[in-house]
Amino acid sequence: MTEANLAEFDEFSPYPPIADYGFLSDCEVTALIAPSGSVEWMCLPRLDGPSVFGSLLDRDAGWFRFGPADMSVPADRRYLAGTMVLETVWDCGEGWLVVRDCLVIGPWRHEHPERGSHRRPPTDYDAEHTLLRTVKCTNGSVQLMMDCEPAFDYGRHREQWNHTDRGFHQVMVEPAGMNLPLTLTSDIRIGIEGPSAQARTLLREGDTRFCALSWGHTPPPENFHEAHERLLWTAHHWRHWLARGCLPDHRWRGHLTRSALTLKGLAYAPTGAIAAAATTSLPETPQGERNWDYRYSWIRDATFALWGLFTLGYEWEANDYFAFITDIVERDREDLQIVYRIDGSKDLDEHELDHLHGYQGAKPVRVGNGAYSQRQNDVWGAVLDSLYLHTKSRDWLDDRVWKMARQQVESALAHWREPDHGLWEVRGAPKHFTSSKLMCWVAADRGARLARIRDDPDAAMAWQQAADEIHADICANALDERGVFCQHYETTALDASLLLMPLVRFLPADDKRVRDTVLAIADELSVDGLLRRYQVDETDDGLGGTEGTFTICSFWLVSALAEIGEHQRARDLCEKVLSYASPLLLYGEQIDPRSGRHLGNFPQAFTHLALINAVMHVVRHEQQAARGALGSDATIAPRQ
């Protein structure tokens, strides 16, 4: 498709740009809300379940709109500061409306563990399984409308609403075979038109209304006052959670705050898992085939997640995620997958939903992820680095973690010489990917460090020797004639994953090979200053077409540039990439360098993790430089 055709397609697309969606979460369910006030993506009973509102992927696959009757473009949107409560302001000509949306979080209600799915230590808060929407007319008069039309099982089934004993103020629908009754409650009179529950009313200055969609055991609010109290409780929860962190006093604090909230929102509280994204099949290329389901938890994210959470002071979340990983490692041992469902189950069989149109026509729409069955040799390094980070945060190593470490190091050493599909999960032929060898080195190196903490000199010596062997193999086979590390042993192509070399301390940051590799990647994989993973015409990834720049890689480059001492270049690039954030400071997986549009699944956890790493690299250098400029007695104390 030509650029002219793409421009014409975008101009008349009924789908909002990906970056324009607002993101809600109660740490069990997530939702995406379009600027029009329509909930266009929500899956139940958890974020990797089948969609109930799916018009993100097909305009006829379910929606829930709440807003002015004759307008679709708001005057402003924002999150209430420090929360996951979304506020949309409407200038309707004759009046103004303020709509607030949230997935309700309330006080802990469960007393019987066997009746729930929580495996992690309970807190004082819990999801109420309610999508709450409130509105206030602040000026003039406005015609308000509500239109709720769920389409169950990814748009395959619609069911008939029925009024309950609360008359016009409540309706219920029970989809056959799903054990998922939905109740819609409002102080507006609700009518039923086929599969749609609709309402409309005229609001005048000072008038308030609410509607609540609920699917759990907590009774919905009965009036606006109660709805408002639950919204305030939800906002309080998010601010209370945020206050536990230690974010630096810096001009980029807002980006760190929103990234922290987004990571918390992508966490599944019952198990501690962190989903890679809230969506499936948002395309990496307009109308392309690079469309994947990211609503699962990847083992390789563990190191970055723990680093980011520990860095910002969120140790409880880091511990919960670590517990999720160790539960899996202890259960699966040698049969470790690279990705799991957020409840820890293993079956992610991939299939296509042919009945869905796809976002802006991008097909196929996929559910599940076939990469779960791939051999990816970086997984052991991710586990060992996570075990090491966790141990460093405590200065002790218990028997359970040590047993896991031994088993995972031995698995890495048994397989490191074998080809695999690499960090990017290519669907071409297996190769000896340098990043995979690198992470096998991480497994042996971190294993040796843990053995020294454990006071096991025999294991420490054996694993250090293995780490040295892997290190030598990489240096002998992955360098090109320039002394630059390449994507795999049979190519001179570059790969942005090798920016991890200085971050995992494979070589000193001032080593010429590391420096030359970072600068070569920066120069040769950049498009308008943003970074691609690799050149698609040089990499057999088993797919056609092109892709945008990977925002993860651009943030990795910031961190790598800072590591090798290119601080001005790192700061400039960080500022550039931060400028591409969505209006709500969210990021998808990729950015189209031609238009600046976000591509891929949204919001993307890995991108926000890389953002935290990059920003903290720049912030720490600035603070160190400031202390140096003011003298050794200066007292600039970063909140870290």
Side-chain angles (χ1 to χ4, degrees):
M1 181 175 266
T2 67
E3 288 193 7
N5 287 338
L6 279 175
E8 182 180 358
F9 180 80
D10 288 349
E11 182 180 355
F12 296 104
S13 171
Y15 295 85
I18 291 170
D20 284 358
Y21 283 94
F23 171 62
L24 302 181
S25 173
D26 61 7
C27 298
E28 292 189 22
V29 168
T30 61
L32 295 187
I33 302 183
S36 66
S38 178
V39 179
E40 297 194 348
W41 184 252
M42 191 170 84
C43 301
L44 294 178
R46 62 188 197 210
L47 67 93
D48 64 347
S51 68
V52 172
F53 304 121
S55 53
L56 176 71
L57 297 178
D58 189 305
R59 303 315 282 170
D60 194 40
W63 58 85
F64 179 12
R65 185 169 188 271
F66 189 64
D70 300 319
M71 298 194 69
S72 59
V73 180
D76 191 27
R77 300 169 85 212
R78 62 164 189 154
Y79 286 106
L80 297 188
T83 78
M84 293 281 282
V85 178
L86 182 64
E87 180 179 88
T88 305
V89 179
W90 298 88
D91 174 7
C92 304
E94 296 182 354
W96 288 73
L97 286 183
V98 177
V99 176
R100 290 178 174 175
D101 297 312
C102 69
L103 283 161
V104 178
I105 296 178
W108 185 266
R109 298 174 184 270
H110 304 289
E111 295 301 330
H112 301 284
E114 66 276 4
R115 296 180 185 175
S117 57
H118 278 264
R119 302 179 203 166
R120 306 282 80 89
T123 66
D124 296 329
Y125 300 90
D126 194 21
E128 287 200 353
H129 302 153
T130 299
L131 173 62
L132 178 62
R133 319 192 72 176
T134 68
V135 61
K136 181 175 183 179
C137 180
T138 60
N139 178 265
S141 62
V142 179
Q143 192 75 35
L144 175 75
M145 63 88 64
M146 180 189 74
D147 183 4
C148 183
E149 185 169 326
F152 299 94
D153 193 18
Y154 300 107
R156 288 190 180 100
H157 306 296
R158 281 172 164 78
E159 303 288 348
Q160 182 71 35
W161 291 97
N162 292 289
H163 286 101
T164 70
D165 56 8
R166 291 182 61 175
F168 281 110
H169 293 289
Q170 188 176 77
V171 293
M172 178 179 288
V173 60
E174 298 188 56
M178 294 185 66
N179 191 27
L180 189 68
L182 297 183
T183 301
L184 180 62
T185 306
S186 180
D187 53 2
I188 313 170
R189 289 180 292 275
I190 304 172
I192 298 172
E193 295 190 9
S196 177
Q198 298 184 6
R200 56 182 179 265
T201 189
L202 181 67
L203 298 184
R204 295 180 174 84
E205 183 172 340
D207 287 347
T208 58
R209 296 289 186 273
F210 84 97
C211 61
L213 183 72
S214 53
W215 55 93
H217 299 294
T218 304
E222 296 188 1
N223 52 55
F224 180 84
H225 174 75
E226 187 177 338
H228 184 64
E229 287 297 312
R230 294 196 193 187
L231 186 144
L232 291 179
W233 183 286
T234 301
H236 168 76
H237 157 75
W238 288 111
R239 288 171 174 156
H240 177 73
W241 178 83
L242 194 65
R244 287 200 291 108
C246 298
L247 281 71
D249 183 17
H250 190 272
R251 65 187 182 280
W252 293 337
R253 181 187 176 104
H255 290 274
L256 291 173
T257 297
R258 186 49 51 191
S259 290
L261 288 164
T262 301
L263 290 175
K264 177 66 172 174
L266 289 169
Y268 182 59
T271 64
I274 297 178
T279 59
T280 179
S281 300
L282 291 183
E284 298 176 10
T285 307
Q287 289 192 305
E289 63 173 323
R290 297 169 182 263
N291 318 317
W292 314 108
D293 193 347
Y294 278 7
R295 298 171 297 158
Y296 311 117
S297 192
W298 267 257
I299 297 294
R300 74 165 54 92
D301 293 4
T303 297
F304 293 95
L306 293 179
W307 190 96
L309 291 168
F310 279 135
T311 297
L312 298 182
Y314 297 107
E315 292 192 4
W316 292 355
E317 285 67 32
N319 292 339
D320 284 351
Y321 188 42
F322 180 79
F324 171 75
I325 296 296
T326 54
D327 283 350
I328 287 171
V329 171
E330 191 171 44
R331 182 192 69 195
D332 291 354
R333 304 189 182 194
E334 295 88 355
D335 192 28
L336 200 62
Q337 295 179 182
I338 62 153
V339 57
Y340 290 84
R341 292 188 179 275
I342 56 175
D343 66 351
S345 58
K346 303 174 66 172
D347 181 13
L348 280 80
D349 284 342
E350 184 178 301
H351 60 280
E352 298 178 3
L353 303 180
D354 295 331
H355 65 286
L356 294 179
H357 177 262
Y359 177 82
Q360 292 190 343
K363 281 180 170 284
V365 174
R366 294 181 171 98
V367 171
N369 197 306
Y372 83 98
S373 61
Q374 285 186 349
R375 167 62 62 84
Q376 294 179 24
N377 294 339
D378 64 334
V379 66
W380 302 295
V383 171
L384 262 298
D385 213 15
S386 299
L387 297 178
Y388 180 64
L389 281 172
H390 181 79
T391 300
K392 280 208 311 179
S393 73
R394 279 158 179 71
D395 294 325
W396 61 282
L397 179 59
D398 63 33
D399 290 340
R400 178 172 176 252
V401 172
W402 174 238
K403 183 178 180 181
M404 291 181 208
R406 291 187 67 95
Q407 192 279 318
Q408 294 303 309
V409 173
E410 294 301 329
S411 293
L413 299 185
H415 297 287
W416 75 267
R417 295 179 179 86
E418 301 170 4
D420 73 331
H421 292 277
L423 181 149
W424 303 124
E425 302 172 0
V426 299
R427 302 205 173 189
K431 302 287 185 183
H432 290 279
F433 285 101
T434 306
S435 62
S436 297
K437 309 291 186 188
L438 172 68
M439 294 309 291
C440 287
W441 171 83
V442 168
D445 176 79
R446 295 339 184 236
R449 298 187 194 193
L450 289 171
R452 288 189 280 271
I453 294 173
R454 183 72 178 186
D455 196 20
D456 188 333
D458 293 338
M461 180 180 296
W463 293 346
Q464 189 59 61
Q465 289 175 349
D468 294 343
E469 181 183 0
I470 300 171
H471 195 285
D473 189 78
I474 294 172
C475 293
N477 294 293
L479 288 166
D480 66 9
E481 294 179 353
R482 302 177 294 173
V484 169
F485 288 101
C486 300
Q487 183 182 67
H488 59 78
Y489 285 5
E490 302 167 15
T491 186
T492 58
L494 297 178
D495 192 305
S497 64
L498 301 183
L499 294 169
L500 298 176
M501 280 187 160
L503 303 184
V504 299
R505 306 296 187 252
F506 178 75
L507 285 167
D510 59 359
D511 187 286
K512 187 176 186 302
R513 293 164 293 181
V514 169
R515 181 176 178 83
D516 289 348
T517 298
V518 172
L519 295 178
I521 290 171
D523 293 340
E524 298 175 33
L525 292 183
S526 288
V527 183
D528 293 336
L530 303 178
L531 211 62
R532 295 190 188 276
R533 296 184 295 177
Y534 47 74
Q535 298 290 1
V536 293
D537 57 353
E538 295 179 339
T539 301
D540 176 22
D541 61 10
L543 298 166
T546 61
E547 60 182 20
T549 59
F550 258 61
T551 315
I552 299 166
C553 300
S554 298
F555 282 125
W556 281 351
L557 180 56
V558 172
S559 299
L561 287 169
E563 289 282 345
I564 66 171
E566 293 285 338
H567 295 293
Q568 184 63 52
R569 191 170 177 180
R571 183 163 51 250
D572 291 346
L573 178 59
C574 193
E575 191 157 21
K576 181 183 181 71
V577 185
L578 291 177
S579 74
Y580 282 95
S582 83
L584 295 170
L585 299 186
L586 302 173
Y587 283 91
E589 184 178 33
Q590 299 185 30
I591 293 172
D592 176 9
R594 175 182 61 88
S595 65
R597 280 194 169 186
H598 289 230
L599 299 167
N601 287 303
F602 183 85
Q604 178 84 355
F606 214 174
T607 301
H608 285 277
L609 289 168
L611 181 155
I612 292 170
N613 192 302
V615 167
M616 292 306 297
H617 268 85
V618 174
V619 169
R620 285 174 173 172
H621 173 72
E622 288 183 356
Q623 292 172 334
Q624 290 167 2
R627 285 195 292 271
L630 292 175
S632 59
D633 294 330
T635 56
I636 296 178
R639 296 178 60 214
Q640 299 176 19

